[in-house]
Amino acid sequence: MDSVQAEIAAAAARMVVEEGLEYGPAKRRAVRQLGLRARAALPDNDALEDAVREYISLFCADTQPQELAALRRHALTWMERLAEFRPHLAGAVWNGTATRLSDIYLQLFCDDPKSAELALIEHDVNYEARTVTGFQGEPVEALSLSSVCPGLAEAVGVHLLVHDLDDVRGALKPDPRGRVPRGDVAAVRALLEIE
């Protein structure tokens, strides 16, 4: 990574941690904020994740571990509620870079894609449905809601990405760094026991 990409990663990391921005928007905003041309080479997500971890260790080491644990406990609560849909935790809450401004991303693997939505309706959960790009690059339905996280005493975003049941086979393939990009209920419980 060259020095310009490192500078973009550092500026974007601050936005991810301090403002809760997602990686893509943070990188684009960092380019504008640094006065670089729009076509500047951006750091990859791994480089940005490393910068986020560094920023957290320098500026948030006293608060972030408790915030992460609270978000993981809240994610586990939702995973247990949605157990029939084989939920897997992903994103910053899974990989350990979440702060109180981070949303929870759960990937559901359903026989019938509408079944998760029907479950929310049956339990009077208000949500917003939209289409997003799934982990395999295909469009998937996302059901987004707001839920009060008891450990933080504030509302956080919970996003349920609804995948086909067959997609679960590819969901646990390690990334280029050898890390599992998502975890099931047992894996999240194990993380909480370590904490």
Side-chain angles (χ1 to χ4, degrees):
M1 182 165 63
D2 68 26
S3 62
V4 172
Q5 287 177 318
E7 194 174 351
I8 293 168
R14 183 190 55 75
M15 293 173 203
V16 168
V17 175
E18 299 293 335
E19 300 175 37
L21 285 182
E22 297 295 326
Y23 282 15
K27 287 190 262 187
R28 290 187 295 276
R29 193 161 129 205
V31 167
R32 286 192 308 274
Q33 195 173 69
L34 294 169
L36 301 171
R37 55 186 177 77
R39 297 186 151 241
L42 298 176
D44 64 18
N45 285 348
D46 287 338
L48 180 50
E49 182 180 320
D50 292 342
V52 167
R53 288 184 190 283
E54 182 178 344
Y55 189 93
I56 287 170
S57 72
L58 292 172
F59 300 106
C60 307
D62 56 335
T63 58
Q64 191 267 347
Q66 295 82 13
E67 294 172 359
L68 174 62
L71 288 165
R72 283 179 171 166
R73 283 191 301 274
H74 195 54
L76 185 59
T77 298
W78 275 100
M79 293 173 81
E80 289 168 345
R81 288 178 189 163
L82 299 166
E84 67 185 287
F85 306 114
R86 298 159 199 88
H88 284 68
L89 179 62
V93 179
W94 168 251
N95 73 30
T97 58
T99 66
R100 70 182 319 108
L101 298 177
S102 301
D103 288 350
I104 295 170
Y105 288 88
L106 298 178
Q107 295 173 341
L108 309 180
F109 297 92
C110 307
D111 291 319
D112 175 10
K114 288 293 176 190
S115 58
E117 191 169 357
L118 291 173
L120 294 179
I121 292 168
E122 286 173 14
H123 290 94
D124 288 329
V125 175
N126 292 326
Y127 65 92
E128 180 181 318
R130 59 193 169 94
T131 302
V132 299
T133 302
F135 68 89
Q136 293 182 333
E138 78 291 359
V140 297
E141 185 172 30
L143 310 172
S144 298
L145 54 106
S146 180
S147 176
V148 174
C149 176
L152 299 177
E154 62 186 59
V156 298
V158 178
H159 307 281
L160 312 173
L161 282 68
V162 183
H163 294 272
D164 188 81
L165 180 59
D166 293 338
D167 292 340
V168 77
R169 284 180 285 186
L172 299 177
K173 288 182 181 174
D175 68 11
R177 290 184 171 185
R179 300 170 302 182
V180 178
R182 58 197 52 81
D184 63 9
V185 170
V188 175
R189 282 191 186 123
L191 286 175
L192 286 168
E193 286 175 15
I194 292 169
E195 294 169 354

